[in-house]
Amino acid sequence: MKIAVMGAGGVGGYFGARLAQAGCEVVFIARGAHLAAMREHGLRVESELGDIVIPKVRVTDDPGTLGPVDLVFFSVKLWDTEAAAGSIVPLFGPDTGIVSFQNGVQKDDMLRSVFGDAAVMGGVAYIATAIARPGVIRHTGTMQRLAFGEYDGRRSARAEALLKACKLGGINAELSGDIRREIWEKFVFLVGLSATTTTMRLPIGPIRANSQTRAFLLDIMQEVVAVGRSLGVALAADYAQQRLAFCDGLPADMTSSMHHDLNGGKPLELAWLSGGVVELGNAAGVATPANRAVCDILALHSQGQYRAAPSCK
């Protein structure tokens, strides 16, 4: 497969390196110091599962020079989605597909508006990674999983080809017959983790150990479940309680990428996480007061340190 990785940060860099190991023709789209380092030294992944070194990689900041590809692995931050999608239009031929491994449940609607329904597959990534330094991705822990599939549930040729490439590259991957539900299942946990660790400025350990903050975490996730179920997503009625039990088994020092972004003074994905819950809840007539509180608390940080942002809808 010829695969373009749009966004060569933690997620795109890690999985792109593994797909390159599998023999795929992978081109990375990056920028700044990360781009320069990859051009000069290649790409390195540091992982407990074994380091990966790709000494020579094809990398560019101009997708217009690449021509059509089979698949776009889309992994930019949510606030970059519209600009990034516009820049990669030259990568698309009549059979090109795109699969987003971004956060949130509204991401694919944004991509459909640019590329149409037929091009878009659904995807979910489970991994803890970050750019350790330009040209180097650090993988924390051993979890690394991709789930993807067509929204109509069929096992398409492009999905099967991606699955085969993932397996060859040592990626824990699976095809989903209900990718919309998979995306929402991750969303329930992600919103809970991001909302609490970022507003409380602490990792999950003390949050789950305190009865008051534990209850707030559960409230956050219950609202997400209620909104999803109101939209026809096949989430179990007690799914939030299941995710709370899952949180009890996580490392006590685990936090979220949004917490890291807050500490770094970077823009937050707030509008698509708790903000997305509020927006979709309003449209569905489902109350979301806990997630609205998160939006209010973080509003002055959502565009970067101390800069006000548009309010949650």
Side-chain angles (χ1 to χ4, degrees):
M1 295 185 78
K2 185 174 182 180
I3 299 174
V5 176
M6 181 62 201
V11 173
Y14 177 88
F15 289 112
R18 286 202 169 273
L19 289 167
Q21 274 195 324
C24 294
E25 183 183 347
V26 179
V27 57
F28 296 88
I29 302 165
R31 59 190 179 190
H34 194 46
L35 168 68
M38 291 173 69
R39 278 176 169 163
E40 186 172 357
H41 303 295
L43 177 63
R44 181 181 182 88
V45 174
E46 299 174 345
S47 171
E48 292 178 26
L49 298 175
D51 292 354
I52 302 169
V53 179
I54 312 293
K56 291 185 179 181
V57 298
R58 190 177 179 194
V59 60
T60 183
D61 59 355
D62 183 5
T65 64
L66 302 177
V69 299
D70 297 316
L71 186 76
V72 177
F73 187 113
F74 197 78
S75 54
V76 303
K77 285 288 191 177
L78 285 163
W79 60 78
D80 274 341
T81 298
E82 291 184 1
S87 75
I88 61 173
V89 169
L91 300 180
F92 279 73
D95 299 318
T96 302
I98 183 168
V99 55
S100 163
F101 292 102
Q102 299 167 285
N103 294 325
V105 296
Q106 298 158 300
K107 58 194 179 82
D108 291 335
D109 288 334
M110 292 189 278
L111 294 180
R112 289 186 189 102
S113 70
V114 179
F115 304 110
D117 292 350
V120 180
M121 289 199 303
V124 179
Y126 292 91
I127 193 166
T129 50
I131 298 176
R133 54 193 181 277
V136 179
I137 305 298
R138 179 171 296 130
H139 176 209
T140 302
T142 58
M143 179 178 66
Q144 52 97 7
R145 174 177 173 257
L146 295 179
F148 47 85
E150 304 290 352
Y151 272 93
D152 61 8
R154 64 190 168 88
R155 295 181 72 93
S156 65
R158 65 186 182 185
E160 293 279 12
L162 179 57
L163 179 65
K164 180 180 179 180
C166 286
K167 297 294 187 182
L168 288 172
I171 297 170
N172 178 17
E174 61 186 76
L175 277 183
S176 172
D178 189 353
I179 192 60
R180 186 178 184 223
R181 177 180 54 78
E182 290 261 9
I183 291 170
W184 271 88
E185 285 179 347
K186 179 182 177 181
F187 191 54
V188 172
F189 166 70
L190 180 65
V191 171
L193 182 72
S194 298
T196 53
T197 57
T198 310
T199 56
M200 298 173 194
R201 278 69 163 176
L202 288 170
I204 192 63
I207 293 169
R208 70 190 181 202
N210 178 277
S211 60
Q212 189 171 357
T213 54
R214 183 182 182 87
F216 186 68
L217 170 59
L218 180 59
D219 287 345
I220 291 285
M221 294 193 293
Q222 285 178 323
E223 289 180 3
V224 185
V225 171
V227 172
R229 284 169 60 86
S230 76
L231 297 174
V233 183
L235 296 170
D238 67 345
Y239 191 69
Q241 287 84 353
Q242 294 178 33
R243 291 293 86 186
L244 186 63
F246 171 76
C247 287
D248 288 331
L250 297 173
D253 61 352
M254 184 174 181
T255 185
S256 65
S257 60
M258 194 161 80
H259 183 203
H260 287 304
D261 288 340
L262 177 75
N263 287 340
K266 299 177 182 178
L268 309 180
E269 292 186 324
L270 179 66
W272 299 273
L273 299 181
S274 284
V277 178
V278 173
E279 181 179 353
L280 294 172
N282 285 342
V286 176
T288 56
N291 280 281
R292 182 55 191 253
V294 172
C295 289
D296 293 344
I297 291 165
L298 295 174
L300 296 179
H301 299 275
S302 64
Q303 297 295 302
Q305 193 169 19
Y306 304 128
R307 287 189 289 165
S311 60
C312 290
K313 298 176 183 177

